[in-house]
Amino acid sequence: MSARQELANAIRALSMDAVQQAKSGHPGAPMGMADIAQVLWTDYLKHNPNNPNWADRDRFVLSNGHGSMLLYSLLHLTGYDLSIDDIKNFRQLHSKTAGHPEYSYCPGIETTTGPLGQGVANAVGMAIAEKTLAAQFNKGAFNIVDHHTYAFLGDGCLMEGISHEACSLAGTMGLGKLIMFYDDNGISIDGEVEGWFTDDTPKRFEAYGWQVIPNVDGHNSTEIIAAIEMAKTNTESPTLICCKTVIGFGSPNKEGKEDCHGAPLGEDEIKLTREKLGWKHGAFEIPDDIYAGWDGKTKGDEAETHWNTQFENYRAAHPELAAEFERRTSGTLPENWEANTTAYIADLQEKGESIASRKASQNALNAFGPLLPELLGGSADLAGSNLTLWSGSKGLKADDASGNYVHWGVREFAMTAAMNGIALHGGFITYGATFLVFMEYARNAMRMAAIMKQQNIQVYTHDSIGLGEDGPTHQPIEQIANLRMTPNMSLWRPGDTVESAVAWKAAIERNDGPTCLIFSRQGLPHQERSAEQVANIAKGGYVLKAFADGEQDALLIATGSELGLAMDAAAVLTEKGQNVSVVSMPSVDLFLAQDDAYKESVLPAAVRNRVAVEAGIKDYWYKFVGLDGAVVGMETFGESAPASDLFKLFGFTVDNVVATVEGLIGKGQ
């Protein structure tokens, strides 16, 4: 047995032992890809277990995340902070070794993978980030950004549509430092894939503009080495290395079968596997010489030390760029950020423009963009409608990646998942855009951003039946509620230019999760505010119109395009002698994060006559108005007609809001 095989067998042993002890998991992929992993991680992967966050490390993504024991084995063996006890604790509560790789659970995990195909898109995003950062910072002989992105993927990843979206764009963008290994084992959970997956994968990727290296024996280190060498010499195109492997390699009775895909091998089969592999060690037992063969700390320290020396030389030659690189990779905002953004917001309040909030969003980008060289924007083929291009936008191209804008094409899912990869890579604040209704295509990627606590800003325009003539297919009804109910998701639906700018400021400052910015197609009226009210916008909800002295009769809660409607209705009610207040709540999650005293000052518990007004699904708002309150909202899908006609049809009129409030007041008398 070769030394390489012996090292690879350590992965197989740890994987089958951990899955067996947990009584659940997926031993097949780790055992099948062990030889590929051994070559990549010992011979090529630039990383440092002593500093997992080194800026110029290669990125490794296990897109087929169910094979998590492959990654955990690699991290443990190469010297990351992942002990053998952690391996033994696979899939247990509060373990570092969760069922699928979870970002931040353990050093060395670059992204959370599980939903198949998203790791592919994450890797594309990381490669975009590397190429763009290199184009912006590398000068002459100083290649301070110079690393590869490697990804492992299986049949399931390639069946998922997101793989097409992401890999098509990767070819167009010429991501030459992106190398993916396709685990072509012909098996998925249901059995042999030839019954449902017969694509000619090499031709598919050739059509994308990738370099394809087909028919590599995934158990032959010589062929694997040759394939990686060939991949690294092509700097113009991403590379797919198609590796023929045997799932569950080494298991006498289960290799090559679905039996080892998602279930433990069993004690008897593990004994037989040890014998077949020539692995003479007990469960979770790794000899010192195997650890020594895998150890990546010395080599990693040397690589990082060399880079540090190069960076200090770079600093001497380009001090401003070096300082900017450190600022951006640390995630720190520019020193002038707070002063300039606060001044812009105050100026907007004074100007009092009445425009569509999507236009207000673009104006905010024009104001904030020059302050943020790390801003990397984009849109899923709707830039002219989403208004996400600003005066300083420059598109990324295959031959010039120095810009700050990605034309994602009609690829909402890949866009959002790739943006997660960009965020995970570091050095950028990234935003994308589409119509709100099409967030449905990308929702799972936003969920992953929330799980991973990654900054991913989505601009969702055309936010309601106000879209008008395009009809129910394009009119979002339930989407805002869906996003609001997602843990760690922040959402803003601003009601005018000022709230739109505050929303952008909050999204840029938030670095522990994604933010959805919901903007209107139609014009929105400016609202008058005091300086205190402007400051309170950042709290997510505030009193825009206070009630007069005496007993309060009712309060209205509104967001976005319905804020002006609520204010108009309140004016009529006031004329009719009703003592009412209006609460603007552009960000429910931020409002709920405030202390109890503030929330009580905005929504007094004693005021039970409450009406929420929003052109979205009604159900969400009952948590604020109670079952004794009322909601002016949607209960059905929309219709195709001019927006003004639709607002009348569905009750978004002053008369209806007034009548709804008066109905509640009447009940209480």
Side-chain angles (χ1 to χ4, degrees):
M1 182 185 302
S2 72
R4 288 189 180 277
Q5 288 174 315
E6 191 77 4
L7 294 177
N9 285 341
I11 296 174
R12 296 183 172 108
L14 287 175
S15 297
M16 64 185 182
D17 288 343
V19 172
Q20 186 64 37
Q21 181 150 305
K23 297 181 173 59
S24 71
H26 301 257
M31 297 174 73
M33 299 193 78
D35 297 301
I36 307 168
Q38 187 275 320
V39 171
L40 178 64
W41 277 65
T42 60
D43 291 34
Y44 291 98
L45 193 73
K46 183 174 67 171
H47 67 119
N48 188 2
N50 288 323
N51 182 14
N53 297 318
W54 170 30
D56 200 43
R57 70 190 183 279
D58 289 340
R59 271 56 170 187
F60 176 79
V61 176
L62 184 71
S63 185
N64 46 342
H66 53 273
S68 57
M69 269 310 305
L70 173 66
L71 180 55
Y72 299 145
S73 299
L74 290 164
L75 295 174
H76 170 71
L77 291 166
T78 56
Y80 286 81
D81 183 18
L82 191 73
S83 70
I84 196 67
D85 288 333
D86 293 321
I87 299 291
K88 292 177 180 178
N89 208 28
F90 178 54
R91 285 180 162 242
Q92 304 310 300
L93 184 63
H94 303 313
S95 168
K96 290 183 179 180
T97 50
H100 291 82
E102 300 285 351
Y103 177 78
S104 80
Y105 277 40
C106 151
I109 298 175
E110 298 284 3
T111 182
T112 297
T113 54
L116 290 176
Q118 285 205 58
V120 173
N122 292 166
V124 169
M126 292 174 184
I128 291 172
E130 192 276 343
K131 184 171 183 173
T132 304
L133 206 64
Q136 293 177 354
F137 283 97
N138 290 352
K139 297 294 179 184
F142 295 110
N143 292 322
I144 62 164
V145 181
D146 185 12
H147 54 266
H148 286 76
T149 302
Y150 298 99
F152 281 9
L153 55 125
D155 294 297
C157 293
L158 292 181
M159 284 186 248
E160 291 285 1
I162 190 174
S163 71
H164 164 72
E165 293 184 25
C167 294
S168 169
L169 183 66
T172 298
M173 297 187 71
L175 302 179
K177 291 183 180 177
L178 174 63
I179 301 173
M180 296 192 180
F181 296 81
Y182 167 34
D183 183 28
D184 184 9
N185 60 34
I187 298 292
S188 65
I189 290 177
D190 281 354
E192 296 180 6
V193 300
E194 62 184 12
W196 48 87
F197 184 57
T198 58
D199 298 14
D200 190 329
T201 297
K203 287 184 179 178
R204 171 184 162 188
F205 275 76
E206 287 173 0
Y208 295 151
W210 286 54
Q211 172 179 236
V212 178
I213 305 173
N215 299 316
V216 175
D217 182 347
H219 304 295
N220 185 317
S221 59
T222 301
E223 290 192 23
I224 298 165
I225 290 169
I228 296 174
E229 289 290 338
M230 185 176 177
K232 293 189 71 172
T233 59
N234 186 341
T235 60
E236 304 300 318
S237 306
T239 297
L240 181 72
I241 302 174
C242 302
C243 299
K244 293 287 185 180
T245 65
V246 178
I247 191 171
F249 182 92
S251 172
N253 299 300
K254 295 187 177 183
E255 68 174 13
K257 302 176 182 177
E258 68 270 19
D259 295 2
C260 65
H261 187 290
L265 297 183
E267 295 289 357
D268 292 342
E269 188 66 16
I270 287 176
K271 182 180 179 181
L272 293 173
T273 303
R274 276 185 158 80
E275 293 174 359
K276 183 176 179 178
L277 293 174
W279 187 260
K280 301 176 182 180
H281 317 289
F284 302 104
E285 181 183 333
I286 305 294
D288 289 343
D289 63 324
I290 298 295
Y291 276 125
W294 272 108
D295 182 51
K297 290 181 286 188
T298 300
K299 188 176 179 181
D301 281 342
E302 290 173 354
E304 185 172 356
T305 298
H306 175 75
W307 183 86
N308 287 337
T309 301
Q310 186 186 39
F311 188 80
E312 288 309 310
N313 293 333
Y314 176 81
R315 188 193 306 277
H318 307 283
E320 292 183 1
L321 278 175
E324 183 69 359
F325 181 84
E326 290 178 320
R327 181 190 70 78
R328 285 176 55 173
T329 53
S330 69
T332 305
L333 290 171
E335 290 184 2
N336 60 349
W337 169 256
E338 182 62 32
N340 285 357
T341 54
T342 301
Y344 174 71
I345 291 166
D347 186 57
L348 285 178
Q349 185 61 49
E350 185 177 345
K351 283 184 177 178
E353 291 180 298
S354 294
I355 55 177
S357 57
R358 62 172 174 156
K359 181 61 180 176
S361 167
Q362 186 179 48
N363 291 347
L365 283 170
N366 278 318
F368 298 165
L371 307 175
L372 298 169
E374 62 263 49
L375 200 62
L376 182 60
S379 178
D381 203 52
L382 289 168
S385 295
N386 301 143
L387 300 184
T388 47
L389 286 165
W390 58 281
S391 58
S393 292
K394 176 185 175 183
L396 300 188
K397 298 178 180 179
D399 59 354
D400 182 5
S402 63
N404 60 6
Y405 196 89
V406 183
H407 291 278
W408 292 101
V410 188
R411 300 183 178 99
E412 296 90 355
F413 196 3
M415 171 184 74
T416 310
M419 287 171 60
N420 287 341
I422 293 170
L424 288 159
H425 181 279
F428 296 97
I429 295 172
T430 183
Y431 69 89
T434 186
F435 287 178
L436 174 57
V437 75
F438 299 135
M439 78 85 185
E440 300 282 1
Y441 287 123
R443 188 194 180 284
N444 194 255
M446 283 300 278
R447 183 175 187 267
M448 297 297 286
I451 288 174
M452 293 189 286
K453 299 180 179 179
Q454 292 301 299
Q455 186 176 39
N456 184 330
I457 303 172
Q458 289 297 320
V459 175
Y460 293 138
T461 68
H462 298 60
D463 67 342
S464 70
I465 57 172
L467 175 68
E469 293 88 344
D470 282 340
T473 61
H474 283 52
Q475 294 166 6
I477 302 298
E478 72 278 20
Q479 285 71 22
I480 291 177
N482 184 312
L483 291 165
R484 282 182 177 138
M485 291 188 294
T486 302
N488 198 38
M489 185 76 70
S490 190
L491 183 144
W492 285 81
R493 189 170 184 248
D496 67 357
T497 61
V498 181
E499 289 189 355
S500 297
V502 173
W504 262 111
K505 184 174 186 290
I508 289 167
E509 292 175 354
R510 187 184 189 223
N511 58 12
D512 60 353
T515 301
C516 301
L517 303 178
I518 313 298
F519 296 122
S520 72
R521 177 192 187 191
Q522 72 274 23
L524 305 180
H526 172 76
Q527 302 297 331
E528 294 298 324
R529 299 176 183 84
S530 66
E532 181 182 7
Q533 287 174 313
V534 172
N536 283 340
I537 297 172
K539 296 178 179 179
Y542 63 102
V543 178
L544 179 60
K545 178 188 181 303
F547 66 94
D549 292 338
E551 185 176 348
Q552 184 173 356
D553 295 310
L555 64 82
L556 290 89
I557 307 169
T559 78
S561 54
E562 288 67 65
L563 181 59
L565 171 62
M567 290 293 286
D568 290 344
V572 173
L573 287 162
T574 300
E575 290 178 2
K576 298 175 74 170
Q578 304 294 353
N579 200 359
V580 299
S581 64
V582 176
V583 172
S584 177
M585 199 172 291
S587 181
V588 173
D589 57 282
L590 280 176
F591 175 73
L592 292 175
Q594 304 305 312
D595 60 49
D596 290 343
Y598 181 77
K599 287 186 285 189
E600 172 65 18
S601 73
V602 176
L603 298 177
V607 182
R608 298 309 312 155
N609 294 329
R610 300 181 177 189
V611 177
V613 188
E614 185 174 68
I617 200 72
K618 283 184 175 183
D619 290 0
Y620 180 84
W621 286 103
Y622 286 104
K623 66 190 293 180
F624 290 99
V625 303
L627 296 179
D628 53 342
V631 181
V632 178
M634 298 292 296
E635 294 179 315
T636 67
F637 296 114
E639 295 284 350
S640 178
S644 58
D645 293 341
L646 293 175
F647 283 125
K648 291 177 184 176
L649 176 66
F650 290 105
F652 297 98
T653 65
V654 170
D655 288 347
N656 186 47
V657 175
V658 168
T660 302
V661 174
E662 289 180 330
L664 288 182
I665 295 172
K667 284 182 181 180
Q669 293 177 345

